Amino acid sequence: MPDSREIRIDPATNTLIRQGVPSIVNFYDLHGLEEALRIKEETGARVTVVTMGPPPAEKSLKTCIALGADEAVLVTDRGFAGADTLATSYVLAKTIQKVEQEWGKVDMVFCGKQTLDGDTGQVGPGIACRLDLEQLTYVSEVKQVDPIRRTVRVGRKLEDGAETVETRMPVLLTALKELNRVRRASLPGVIRGHRYKPIVWTTADFPDLDRSQIGLKGSPTIVAKTWVPEAKKVTCQWLSGENAQAAAAGACDALWDNNLPARLGWIRGGAVHD
Amino acid sequence: MTDAVQVQEYDWSGYRGVLIYVEQREGRAKPVSWQLLGQGRRLADKLHTHLMAVVIGGQIEHLAKDAVAYGADRVYICEAPELRDYRTRPYSRLMMQLIEEVKPEIVLFGATATGRDLAGAIATHLPTGLTADTTELDVEPDPSRLLLASRPAFSEKMMATILCKQYRPQMATARAGVFEALPRDNQRSGEVLRLESRMGEDDIAAKVLDFVRDQTSVNLEEAEVIVAGGRGLGGPDAFRLLEELAEAMGGVVGASRAAVDAGWIGHEHQVGQTGYTVRPKLYFAIGISGAVQHTVGMSNAELIIAINKDKEAPIFQFAHYGIVGDLFQIVPALTEEVKRRKLAGEPLASEEGEVGA
């Protein structure tokens, strides 16, 4: 994905300037990869990395190989362009099925919590749904992976607290940054990544692909309009800041003028029913 | 290019009404649920249609009444012991069953962890379009009845309006704190209908082993008064001054990302893009310069008072009242003044002479 923090907007055309924007591995995905590599070290699992994107995404896959993934697949085709989350999850689900045909059964799928550019968090649940996998989103800790019982126990971090959930494999997990600390590539890893040529699959590699479900055509949502939001500006009334007491009195007057003490229940009066 | 764009007419007349997913835990609804009902009411009125709510859980009976009081015409309620904790499968099955039955034209969820988890699963199953994390929702009237779902894109640098023309229902998740709940009206009447859960505990693979509520969480989303501090505080100690002011006003302490990143205060206090979106009645921005990252999270506050040393700080473009000066002197003075006037029960300017207390 393009590094959205580096994207600028062309003020004349209101469009994004992607030129010269580096392609990076989505930061949450790296945490997913890190956890997969840890499980690999513990259980001897095989780690396959897949991405759907334009050819330059190859570079990101090399990074994943450098970190320790066994193989990496780039799913790329002009027909995939313009995909929203529904169409993306369709292609990635198809890709995972093909990975199973090539390298054996997939027990765990890791995704990032969300991408940095799209920010939707919908592709993970979409893949889980299509492949009928158990779904564990917002995972902050993998507490246990039991290959015999085929269960996974995780901690999930939510707005109001933390939850421990156990479920069966196959399972899809989406990673928070709290999940782990991402390793640095070793020197042999870097060399391996540099030499590695990612496997490329196009629409031709998916004989049973439903073309009405990919790319723009397979995307129910369309961007109708983009605009640069006008900053919501209000006219600031200046209160005297010459000394603290005057400023405090001014601020309090402002609160009282706006009926806040009554609305906040500090004092009686001003309420509708009184 | 033009002949590639085919205008096809779809008949969606079988899909009517707006459906809101009411998210709850342990029988307490998330504030975003009522905010969405408020916005859903506006959309439904514009489309001359009805507003529906759905509540799923264990021991949630009372929430049906709440949903009506906050604007729903009809509430679907599904209560069962195995639904006590949110789990994707049973919840999404129920939602699918309901959506297939009532055919709403619009379905909205809070953009919370649970809301996103659930909406993502349902949209794929149906299938239909789902717009994430919207901050503006509007509808086009008849005949298109399209949901205009707008959301920030590319690190808040742009806004995009997203449409779902060829599928129903149209679905979106919406940020907490962006929309306004209607005032609670206990006189409103509405219909309450029951849904039956068709999955027993044995059919559900996922088990929630425990839930530990975050005791440190400050509940910025529900606060009526927020006293927020930023880089200008210079260190963690100054937050104590803000705490005192917040306490005097029955509010809570917020912070900008700069203050959180510096480690002066916990992330649970952060207001802004990567923190909470808030809409209190009163917001103090103290020593906060006003980067977009922060202002997207607080500009919906009803009244904003900013205190900053720098008169040119962008925060003053958002503030209704501005004070240029030294926060270390002004904040304590303000705390004292608020306490003094509250004690005195000082009447409102407009009511002078009437309230003699």
mmCIF file of all heavy atoms in Angstrom, chain A residues 7 14 16 114 132 134-135 137 159-160 162 164 166 222 224-225 227 232 237 239 253 263, chain B residues 25 89 113 116-117 154 157-159 161 163 207 209-210 212 214 300 302 317 320 322 341 346:
data_model
loop_
_atom_site.group_PDB
_atom_site.id
_atom_site.type_symbol
_atom_site.label_atom_id
_atom_site.label_comp_id
_atom_site.label_asym_id
_atom_site.label_seq_id
_atom_site.Cartn_x
_atom_site.Cartn_y
_atom_site.Cartn_z
ATOM 1 N N ILE A 7 1.276 10.975 1.526
ATOM 2 C CA ILE A 7 0.469 11.421 0.394
ATOM 3 C C ILE A 7 0.096 12.898 0.547
ATOM 4 O O ILE A 7 -0.261 13.354 1.622
ATOM 5 C CB ILE A 7 -0.799 10.548 0.252
ATOM 6 C CG1 ILE A 7 -0.383 9.193 -0.308
ATOM 7 C CG2 ILE A 7 -1.845 11.205 -0.640
ATOM 8 C CD1 ILE A 7 -1.517 8.236 -0.487
ATOM 9 N N ASN A 14 -7.630 18.652 -6.586
ATOM 10 C CA ASN A 14 -8.234 17.915 -5.478
ATOM 11 C C ASN A 14 -7.960 16.419 -5.543
ATOM 12 O O ASN A 14 -8.732 15.621 -5.039
ATOM 13 C CB ASN A 14 -9.756 18.116 -5.468
ATOM 14 C CG ASN A 14 -10.160 18.967 -4.293
ATOM 15 O OD1 ASN A 14 -9.304 19.397 -3.520
ATOM 16 N ND2 ASN A 14 -11.439 19.191 -4.145
ATOM 17 N N LEU A 16 -5.151 13.034 -5.259
ATOM 18 C CA LEU A 16 -4.006 12.621 -4.470
ATOM 19 C C LEU A 16 -2.765 12.535 -5.336
ATOM 20 O O LEU A 16 -2.823 12.091 -6.480
ATOM 21 C CB LEU A 16 -4.273 11.249 -3.858
ATOM 22 C CG LEU A 16 -5.495 11.193 -2.953
ATOM 23 C CD1 LEU A 16 -5.849 9.752 -2.654
ATOM 24 C CD2 LEU A 16 -5.226 11.948 -1.675
ATOM 25 N N GLN A 114 -6.355 -3.177 10.501
ATOM 26 C CA GLN A 114 -6.870 -2.382 9.394
ATOM 27 C C GLN A 114 -5.671 -1.891 8.598
ATOM 28 O O GLN A 114 -4.549 -1.995 9.043
ATOM 29 C CB GLN A 114 -7.675 -1.186 9.906
ATOM 30 C CG GLN A 114 -6.858 -0.251 10.768
ATOM 31 C CD GLN A 114 -7.721 0.772 11.484
ATOM 32 O OE1 GLN A 114 -8.774 0.454 12.001
ATOM 33 N NE2 GLN A 114 -7.258 2.001 11.525
ATOM 34 N N ASP A 132 -15.516 -19.356 5.801
ATOM 35 C CA ASP A 132 -16.159 -19.952 6.964
ATOM 36 C C ASP A 132 -15.146 -20.252 8.077
ATOM 37 O O ASP A 132 -15.143 -21.313 8.684
ATOM 38 C CB ASP A 132 -16.925 -21.227 6.563
ATOM 39 C CG ASP A 132 -17.958 -21.616 7.615
ATOM 40 O OD1 ASP A 132 -18.444 -20.699 8.307
ATOM 41 O OD2 ASP A 132 -18.243 -22.813 7.760
ATOM 42 N N GLU A 134 -13.416 -19.230 11.807
ATOM 43 C CA GLU A 134 -13.720 -18.493 13.027
ATOM 44 C C GLU A 134 -13.010 -17.140 12.922
ATOM 45 O O GLU A 134 -11.961 -17.031 12.265
ATOM 46 C CB GLU A 134 -13.222 -19.258 14.255
ATOM 47 C CG GLU A 134 -14.061 -20.482 14.583
ATOM 48 C CD GLU A 134 -15.482 -20.107 14.999
ATOM 49 O OE1 GLU A 134 -15.634 -19.185 15.813
ATOM 50 O OE2 GLU A 134 -16.433 -20.754 14.512
ATOM 51 N N GLN A 135 -13.565 -16.144 13.573
ATOM 52 C CA GLN A 135 -13.037 -14.777 13.395
ATOM 53 C C GLN A 135 -12.704 -14.165 14.751
ATOM 54 O O GLN A 135 -13.548 -14.089 15.631
ATOM 55 C CB GLN A 135 -14.131 -13.989 12.678
ATOM 56 C CG GLN A 135 -14.019 -12.493 12.696
ATOM 57 C CD GLN A 135 -15.158 -11.856 11.899
ATOM 58 O OE1 GLN A 135 -15.710 -12.437 10.984
ATOM 59 N NE2 GLN A 135 -15.514 -10.645 12.275
ATOM 60 N N THR A 137 -11.065 -10.659 15.933
ATOM 61 C CA THR A 137 -10.510 -9.371 15.539
ATOM 62 C C THR A 137 -9.896 -8.656 16.745
ATOM 63 O O THR A 137 -10.158 -9.009 17.884
ATOM 64 C CB THR A 137 -11.619 -8.484 14.942
ATOM 65 O OG1 THR A 137 -12.720 -8.467 15.840
ATOM 66 C CG2 THR A 137 -12.096 -9.010 13.596
ATOM 67 N N GLU A 159 -12.692 -1.197 23.315
ATOM 68 C CA GLU A 159 -12.731 0.172 23.849
ATOM 69 C C GLU A 159 -12.867 0.183 25.369
ATOM 70 O O GLU A 159 -12.286 1.020 26.042
ATOM 71 C CB GLU A 159 -13.914 0.963 23.277
ATOM 72 C CG GLU A 159 -13.834 1.247 21.796
ATOM 73 C CD GLU A 159 -14.414 0.119 20.964
ATOM 74 O OE1 GLU A 159 -15.030 -0.797 21.542
ATOM 75 O OE2 GLU A 159 -14.233 0.142 19.736
ATOM 76 N N ASP A 160 -13.669 -0.741 25.894
ATOM 77 C CA ASP A 160 -14.002 -0.659 27.314
ATOM 78 C C ASP A 160 -13.301 -1.701 28.167
ATOM 79 O O ASP A 160 -13.592 -1.817 29.351
ATOM 80 C CB ASP A 160 -15.526 -0.753 27.496
ATOM 81 C CG ASP A 160 -16.116 -1.967 26.781
ATOM 82 O OD1 ASP A 160 -15.379 -2.646 26.042
ATOM 83 O OD2 ASP A 160 -17.305 -2.238 26.969
ATOM 84 N N ALA A 162 -10.685 -5.645 28.181
ATOM 85 C CA ALA A 162 -9.973 -6.704 27.483
ATOM 86 C C ALA A 162 -10.697 -8.023 27.707
ATOM 87 O O ALA A 162 -11.204 -8.289 28.789
ATOM 88 C CB ALA A 162 -8.542 -6.787 27.987
ATOM 89 N N THR A 164 -10.792 -12.371 26.947
ATOM 90 C CA THR A 164 -10.077 -13.584 26.550
ATOM 91 C C THR A 164 -11.070 -14.492 25.842
ATOM 92 O O THR A 164 -12.138 -14.778 26.373
ATOM 93 C CB THR A 164 -9.507 -14.318 27.776
ATOM 94 O OG1 THR A 164 -8.711 -13.405 28.513
ATOM 95 C CG2 THR A 164 -8.656 -15.495 27.355
ATOM 96 N N GLU A 166 -11.541 -18.099 23.382
ATOM 97 C CA GLU A 166 -10.955 -19.299 22.810
ATOM 98 C C GLU A 166 -11.852 -19.793 21.699
ATOM 99 O O GLU A 166 -13.077 -19.768 21.820
ATOM 100 C CB GLU A 166 -10.815 -20.383 23.883
ATOM 101 C CG GLU A 166 -10.060 -21.593 23.383
ATOM 102 C CD GLU A 166 -9.830 -22.620 24.486
ATOM 103 O OE1 GLU A 166 -8.969 -22.384 25.344
ATOM 104 O OE2 GLU A 166 -10.538 -23.646 24.487
ATOM 105 N N ILE A 222 -18.946 2.784 -4.350
ATOM 106 C CA ILE A 222 -18.172 3.605 -5.271
ATOM 107 C C ILE A 222 -17.942 4.977 -4.644
ATOM 108 O O ILE A 222 -18.789 5.477 -3.917
ATOM 109 C CB ILE A 222 -18.871 3.784 -6.635
ATOM 110 C CG1 ILE A 222 -20.302 4.275 -6.422
ATOM 111 C CG2 ILE A 222 -18.859 2.516 -7.437
ATOM 112 C CD1 ILE A 222 -20.878 4.954 -7.621
ATOM 113 N N ALA A 224 -18.134 8.574 -4.877
ATOM 114 C CA ALA A 224 -18.881 9.475 -5.754
ATOM 115 C C ALA A 224 -18.223 10.841 -5.809
ATOM 116 O O ALA A 224 -18.327 11.557 -6.804
ATOM 117 C CB ALA A 224 -20.304 9.608 -5.252
ATOM 118 N N LYS A 225 -17.533 11.191 -4.744
ATOM 119 C CA LYS A 225 -17.043 12.565 -4.660
ATOM 120 C C LYS A 225 -15.932 12.601 -3.615
ATOM 121 O O LYS A 225 -16.031 11.925 -2.595
ATOM 122 C CB LYS A 225 -18.206 13.456 -4.223
ATOM 123 C CG LYS A 225 -17.902 14.929 -4.054
ATOM 124 C CD LYS A 225 -19.188 15.697 -3.800
ATOM 125 C CE LYS A 225 -19.307 16.021 -2.330
ATOM 126 N NZ LYS A 225 -20.258 17.035 -1.958
ATOM 127 N N TRP A 227 -13.445 15.569 -1.509
ATOM 128 C CA TRP A 227 -13.196 16.987 -1.337
ATOM 129 C C TRP A 227 -12.281 17.208 -0.148
ATOM 130 O O TRP A 227 -12.152 16.332 0.711
ATOM 131 C CB TRP A 227 -14.504 17.760 -1.189
ATOM 132 C CG TRP A 227 -15.202 17.633 0.127
ATOM 133 C CD1 TRP A 227 -15.107 18.490 1.184
ATOM 134 C CD2 TRP A 227 -16.108 16.600 0.548
ATOM 135 N NE1 TRP A 227 -15.904 18.065 2.218
ATOM 136 C CE2 TRP A 227 -16.525 16.906 1.861
ATOM 137 C CE3 TRP A 227 -16.602 15.449 -0.069
ATOM 138 C CZ2 TRP A 227 -17.411 16.099 2.580
ATOM 139 C CZ3 TRP A 227 -17.485 14.648 0.656
ATOM 140 C CH2 TRP A 227 -17.877 14.977 1.949
ATOM 141 N N LYS A 232 -13.455 23.717 10.075
ATOM 142 C CA LYS A 232 -14.626 24.313 10.704
ATOM 143 C C LYS A 232 -14.137 25.508 11.507
ATOM 144 O O LYS A 232 -13.460 25.346 12.525
ATOM 145 C CB LYS A 232 -15.250 23.269 11.617
ATOM 146 C CG LYS A 232 -16.712 23.511 11.926
ATOM 147 C CD LYS A 232 -17.147 22.605 13.053
ATOM 148 C CE LYS A 232 -18.125 21.557 12.570
ATOM 149 N NZ LYS A 232 -18.532 20.657 13.665
ATOM 150 N N GLN A 237 -13.812 34.894 20.160
ATOM 151 C CA GLN A 237 -13.922 36.121 20.965
ATOM 152 C C GLN A 237 -12.769 36.125 21.957
ATOM 153 O O GLN A 237 -12.617 35.192 22.734
ATOM 154 C CB GLN A 237 -15.237 36.134 21.745
ATOM 155 C CG GLN A 237 -16.441 36.442 20.892
ATOM 156 C CD GLN A 237 -17.663 36.605 21.774
ATOM 157 O OE1 GLN A 237 -17.641 37.320 22.778
ATOM 158 N NE2 GLN A 237 -18.733 35.930 21.408
ATOM 159 N N LEU A 239 -10.728 36.938 25.159
ATOM 160 C CA LEU A 239 -10.940 37.334 26.540
ATOM 161 C C LEU A 239 -9.627 37.909 27.052
ATOM 162 O O LEU A 239 -8.564 37.462 26.653
ATOM 163 C CB LEU A 239 -11.349 36.128 27.390
ATOM 164 C CG LEU A 239 -12.589 35.367 26.901
ATOM 165 C CD1 LEU A 239 -12.786 34.098 27.710
ATOM 166 C CD2 LEU A 239 -13.827 36.257 27.005
ATOM 167 N N ASP A 253 -17.660 34.390 32.837
ATOM 168 C CA ASP A 253 -18.765 35.143 32.236
ATOM 169 C C ASP A 253 -19.245 34.436 30.971
ATOM 170 O O ASP A 253 -20.452 34.341 30.719
ATOM 171 C CB ASP A 253 -18.320 36.572 31.884
ATOM 172 C CG ASP A 253 -18.160 37.435 33.128
ATOM 173 O OD1 ASP A 253 -18.642 37.015 34.210
ATOM 174 O OD2 ASP A 253 -17.536 38.525 33.029
ATOM 175 N N ARG A 263 -27.274 24.212 32.493
ATOM 176 C CA ARG A 263 -27.345 23.025 31.652
ATOM 177 C C ARG A 263 -26.479 21.896 32.191
ATOM 178 O O ARG A 263 -26.727 20.727 31.929
ATOM 179 C CB ARG A 263 -26.954 23.381 30.223
ATOM 180 C CG ARG A 263 -27.999 24.291 29.571
ATOM 181 C CD ARG A 263 -27.572 24.755 28.218
ATOM 182 N NE ARG A 263 -27.281 23.636 27.352
ATOM 183 C CZ ARG A 263 -26.273 23.614 26.504
ATOM 184 N NH1 ARG A 263 -25.462 24.643 26.408
ATOM 185 N NH2 ARG A 263 -26.062 22.580 25.744
ATOM 186 N N ARG B 25 -23.011 -3.664 26.353
ATOM 187 C CA ARG B 25 -22.300 -4.675 27.128
ATOM 188 C C ARG B 25 -22.881 -4.670 28.535
ATOM 189 O O ARG B 25 -23.074 -3.608 29.115
ATOM 190 C CB ARG B 25 -20.795 -4.399 27.170
ATOM 191 C CG ARG B 25 -20.052 -5.592 27.789
ATOM 192 C CD ARG B 25 -18.614 -5.304 28.061
ATOM 193 N NE ARG B 25 -17.776 -5.190 26.878
ATOM 194 C CZ ARG B 25 -17.294 -6.234 26.176
ATOM 195 N NH1 ARG B 25 -17.604 -7.455 26.520
ATOM 196 N NH2 ARG B 25 -16.514 -6.020 25.138
ATOM 197 N N ARG B 89 -20.359 -15.175 15.263
ATOM 198 C CA ARG B 89 -21.298 -16.081 14.586
ATOM 199 C C ARG B 89 -22.752 -15.929 15.009
ATOM 200 O O ARG B 89 -23.606 -15.680 14.162
ATOM 201 C CB ARG B 89 -20.848 -17.524 14.730
ATOM 202 C CG ARG B 89 -20.043 -17.971 13.533
ATOM 203 C CD ARG B 89 -19.556 -19.374 13.711
ATOM 204 N NE ARG B 89 -18.294 -19.503 13.007
ATOM 205 C CZ ARG B 89 -18.194 -19.998 11.764
ATOM 206 N NH1 ARG B 89 -19.263 -20.418 11.121
ATOM 207 N NH2 ARG B 89 -17.024 -20.071 11.180
ATOM 208 N N ALA B 113 -14.962 -1.667 17.858
ATOM 209 C CA ALA B 113 -14.381 -2.976 17.531
ATOM 210 C C ALA B 113 -15.507 -3.960 17.199
ATOM 211 O O ALA B 113 -15.471 -4.640 16.177
ATOM 212 C CB ALA B 113 -13.544 -3.476 18.704
ATOM 213 N N ARG B 116 -17.527 -2.986 13.914
ATOM 214 C CA ARG B 116 -16.790 -3.285 12.682
ATOM 215 C C ARG B 116 -16.705 -4.781 12.442
ATOM 216 O O ARG B 116 -16.798 -5.254 11.304
ATOM 217 C CB ARG B 116 -15.374 -2.705 12.776
ATOM 218 C CG ARG B 116 -15.339 -1.209 12.644
ATOM 219 C CD ARG B 116 -13.924 -0.732 12.901
ATOM 220 N NE ARG B 116 -13.773 0.659 12.535
ATOM 221 C CZ ARG B 116 -12.666 1.167 12.008
ATOM 222 N NH1 ARG B 116 -11.632 0.390 11.797
ATOM 223 N NH2 ARG B 116 -12.596 2.433 11.709
ATOM 224 N N ASP B 117 -16.480 -5.519 13.509
ATOM 225 C CA ASP B 117 -16.389 -6.979 13.410
ATOM 226 C C ASP B 117 -17.695 -7.538 12.846
ATOM 227 O O ASP B 117 -17.702 -8.334 11.911
ATOM 228 C CB ASP B 117 -16.112 -7.516 14.827
ATOM 229 C CG ASP B 117 -15.900 -9.024 14.881
ATOM 230 O OD1 ASP B 117 -16.872 -9.774 14.667
ATOM 231 O OD2 ASP B 117 -14.770 -9.445 15.159
ATOM 232 N N PHE B 154 -7.259 9.117 3.688
ATOM 233 C CA PHE B 154 -5.864 9.521 3.648
ATOM 234 C C PHE B 154 -5.486 10.436 4.810
ATOM 235 O O PHE B 154 -5.259 11.634 4.625
ATOM 236 C CB PHE B 154 -5.505 10.124 2.288
ATOM 237 C CG PHE B 154 -5.636 9.107 1.203
ATOM 238 C CD1 PHE B 154 -6.770 9.048 0.423
ATOM 239 C CD2 PHE B 154 -4.656 8.155 1.012
ATOM 240 C CE1 PHE B 154 -6.914 8.068 -0.551
ATOM 241 C CE2 PHE B 154 -4.789 7.177 0.052
ATOM 242 C CZ PHE B 154 -5.917 7.130 -0.738
ATOM 243 N N LYS B 157 -6.894 13.907 5.337
ATOM 244 C CA LYS B 157 -6.571 15.005 4.434
ATOM 245 C C LYS B 157 -7.713 15.281 3.467
ATOM 246 O O LYS B 157 -7.800 16.340 2.877
ATOM 247 C CB LYS B 157 -5.298 14.681 3.646
ATOM 248 C CG LYS B 157 -4.056 14.804 4.504
ATOM 249 C CD LYS B 157 -2.836 14.278 3.771
ATOM 250 C CE LYS B 157 -1.687 14.103 4.744
ATOM 251 N NZ LYS B 157 -0.821 12.985 4.356
ATOM 252 N N MET B 158 -8.536 14.284 3.243
ATOM 253 C CA MET B 158 -9.647 14.431 2.306
ATOM 254 C C MET B 158 -10.902 13.825 2.894
ATOM 255 O O MET B 158 -10.831 12.997 3.789
ATOM 256 C CB MET B 158 -9.333 13.651 1.022
ATOM 257 C CG MET B 158 -8.459 14.365 0.061
ATOM 258 S SD MET B 158 -8.356 13.378 -1.428
ATOM 259 C CE MET B 158 -9.170 14.472 -2.555
ATOM 260 N N MET B 159 -12.024 14.213 2.323
ATOM 261 C CA MET B 159 -13.286 13.542 2.636
ATOM 262 C C MET B 159 -13.764 12.869 1.358
ATOM 263 O O MET B 159 -13.533 13.382 0.264
ATOM 264 C CB MET B 159 -14.333 14.564 3.088
ATOM 265 C CG MET B 159 -14.133 15.113 4.481
ATOM 266 S SD MET B 159 -14.460 13.900 5.781
ATOM 267 C CE MET B 159 -16.249 13.726 5.635
ATOM 268 N N THR B 161 -17.248 10.852 -0.373
ATOM 269 C CA THR B 161 -18.632 10.404 -0.246
ATOM 270 C C THR B 161 -18.779 9.099 -1.007
ATOM 271 O O THR B 161 -18.406 9.020 -2.181
ATOM 272 C CB THR B 161 -19.615 11.445 -0.816
ATOM 273 O OG1 THR B 161 -19.417 12.659 -0.112
ATOM 274 C CG2 THR B 161 -21.054 10.977 -0.644
ATOM 275 N N LEU B 163 -21.099 5.757 -2.218
ATOM 276 C CA LEU B 163 -22.460 5.313 -2.515
ATOM 277 C C LEU B 163 -22.486 3.815 -2.769
ATOM 278 O O LEU B 163 -21.498 3.236 -3.209
ATOM 279 C CB LEU B 163 -22.990 6.010 -3.781
ATOM 280 C CG LEU B 163 -22.922 7.524 -3.851
ATOM 281 C CD1 LEU B 163 -23.466 7.985 -5.206
ATOM 282 C CD2 LEU B 163 -23.725 8.141 -2.724
ATOM 283 N N LYS B 207 -15.619 -19.179 22.706
ATOM 284 C CA LYS B 207 -16.032 -19.024 24.104
ATOM 285 C C LYS B 207 -15.342 -17.795 24.681
ATOM 286 O O LYS B 207 -14.107 -17.686 24.582
ATOM 287 C CB LYS B 207 -15.603 -20.246 24.941
ATOM 288 C CG LYS B 207 -16.003 -21.587 24.355
ATOM 289 C CD LYS B 207 -17.485 -21.868 24.538
ATOM 290 C CE LYS B 207 -17.898 -23.136 23.800
ATOM 291 N NZ LYS B 207 -19.281 -23.082 23.296
ATOM 292 N N LEU B 209 -13.883 -16.345 27.685
ATOM 293 C CA LEU B 209 -13.476 -16.898 28.982
ATOM 294 C C LEU B 209 -13.526 -15.838 30.075
ATOM 295 O O LEU B 209 -13.868 -16.127 31.200
ATOM 296 C CB LEU B 209 -12.076 -17.513 28.878
ATOM 297 C CG LEU B 209 -11.941 -18.588 27.786
ATOM 298 C CD1 LEU B 209 -10.519 -19.114 27.716
ATOM 299 C CD2 LEU B 209 -12.909 -19.746 28.025
ATOM 300 N N ASP B 210 -13.149 -14.618 29.734
ATOM 301 C CA ASP B 210 -13.339 -13.544 30.715
ATOM 302 C C ASP B 210 -13.298 -12.182 30.034
ATOM 303 O O ASP B 210 -12.884 -12.063 28.882
ATOM 304 C CB ASP B 210 -12.327 -13.592 31.873
ATOM 305 C CG ASP B 210 -10.904 -13.333 31.437
ATOM 306 O OD1 ASP B 210 -10.695 -12.558 30.483
ATOM 307 O OD2 ASP B 210 -9.981 -13.895 32.046
ATOM 308 N N VAL B 212 -12.282 -8.194 31.303
ATOM 309 C CA VAL B 212 -11.837 -7.308 32.383
ATOM 310 C C VAL B 212 -12.087 -5.879 31.932
ATOM 311 O O VAL B 212 -11.500 -5.407 30.958
ATOM 312 C CB VAL B 212 -10.331 -7.508 32.691
ATOM 313 C CG1 VAL B 212 -9.909 -6.615 33.845
ATOM 314 C CG2 VAL B 212 -10.055 -8.966 33.008
ATOM 315 N N ASP B 214 -11.867 -2.042 31.706
ATOM 316 C CA ASP B 214 -10.762 -1.108 31.887
ATOM 317 C C ASP B 214 -11.172 -0.056 32.922
ATOM 318 O O ASP B 214 -11.980 0.817 32.629
ATOM 319 C CB ASP B 214 -10.453 -0.455 30.536
ATOM 320 C CG ASP B 214 -9.162 0.338 30.586
ATOM 321 O OD1 ASP B 214 -8.608 0.484 31.690
ATOM 322 O OD2 ASP B 214 -8.735 0.804 29.522
ATOM 323 N N ASN B 300 -16.661 19.256 17.415
ATOM 324 C CA ASN B 300 -18.105 19.173 17.617
ATOM 325 C C ASN B 300 -18.542 19.601 19.009
ATOM 326 O O ASN B 300 -19.731 19.566 19.319
ATOM 327 C CB ASN B 300 -18.599 17.743 17.379
ATOM 328 C CG ASN B 300 -18.822 17.468 15.911
ATOM 329 O OD1 ASN B 300 -19.264 18.342 15.175
ATOM 330 N ND2 ASN B 300 -18.497 16.272 15.484
ATOM 331 N N GLU B 302 -19.815 21.844 21.923
ATOM 332 C CA GLU B 302 -20.716 22.980 21.782
ATOM 333 C C GLU B 302 -20.022 24.304 22.046
ATOM 334 O O GLU B 302 -20.245 25.284 21.355
ATOM 335 C CB GLU B 302 -21.905 22.826 22.733
ATOM 336 C CG GLU B 302 -22.945 21.878 22.198
ATOM 337 C CD GLU B 302 -24.077 21.710 23.177
ATOM 338 O OE1 GLU B 302 -24.611 22.743 23.641
ATOM 339 O OE2 GLU B 302 -24.416 20.560 23.491
ATOM 340 N N GLN B 317 -8.775 29.157 15.802
ATOM 341 C CA GLN B 317 -9.726 29.168 14.687
ATOM 342 C C GLN B 317 -10.923 28.268 14.982
ATOM 343 O O GLN B 317 -11.904 28.260 14.250
ATOM 344 C CB GLN B 317 -9.036 28.701 13.402
ATOM 345 C CG GLN B 317 -7.941 29.666 12.983
ATOM 346 C CD GLN B 317 -7.097 29.114 11.855
ATOM 347 O OE1 GLN B 317 -7.273 27.983 11.422
ATOM 348 N NE2 GLN B 317 -6.171 29.918 11.386
ATOM 349 N N HIS B 320 -14.470 29.223 20.495
ATOM 350 C CA HIS B 320 -15.443 30.307 20.580
ATOM 351 C C HIS B 320 -14.886 31.436 21.431
ATOM 352 O O HIS B 320 -15.179 32.598 21.206
ATOM 353 C CB HIS B 320 -16.748 29.787 21.176
ATOM 354 C CG HIS B 320 -17.329 28.646 20.385
ATOM 355 N ND1 HIS B 320 -17.030 27.334 20.653
ATOM 356 C CD2 HIS B 320 -18.153 28.651 19.317
ATOM 357 C CE1 HIS B 320 -17.667 26.560 19.772
ATOM 358 N NE2 HIS B 320 -18.351 27.332 18.956
ATOM 359 N N GLY B 322 -11.129 32.761 23.308
ATOM 360 C CA GLY B 322 -9.692 32.530 23.370
ATOM 361 C C GLY B 322 -9.040 33.390 24.431
ATOM 362 O O GLY B 322 -9.420 34.552 24.627
ATOM 363 N N ARG B 341 -18.119 31.050 42.082
ATOM 364 C CA ARG B 341 -19.423 31.388 41.509
ATOM 365 C C ARG B 341 -20.430 30.271 41.707
ATOM 366 O O ARG B 341 -21.628 30.532 41.861
ATOM 367 C CB ARG B 341 -19.284 31.678 40.014
ATOM 368 C CG ARG B 341 -18.520 32.951 39.756
ATOM 369 C CD ARG B 341 -18.853 33.500 38.394
ATOM 370 N NE ARG B 341 -17.836 34.445 37.964
ATOM 371 C CZ ARG B 341 -17.931 35.179 36.857
ATOM 372 N NH1 ARG B 341 -18.982 35.045 36.070
ATOM 373 N NH2 ARG B 341 -16.982 36.010 36.529
ATOM 374 N N GLU B 346 -24.434 31.899 41.536
ATOM 375 C CA GLU B 346 -24.622 33.123 40.765
ATOM 376 C C GLU B 346 -25.658 32.923 39.655
ATOM 377 O O GLU B 346 -25.570 31.997 38.873
ATOM 378 C CB GLU B 346 -23.294 33.555 40.154
ATOM 379 C CG GLU B 346 -23.279 35.007 39.804
ATOM 380 C CD GLU B 346 -21.851 35.514 39.759
ATOM 381 O OE1 GLU B 346 -21.130 35.369 40.756
ATOM 382 O OE2 GLU B 346 -21.483 36.058 38.720
#
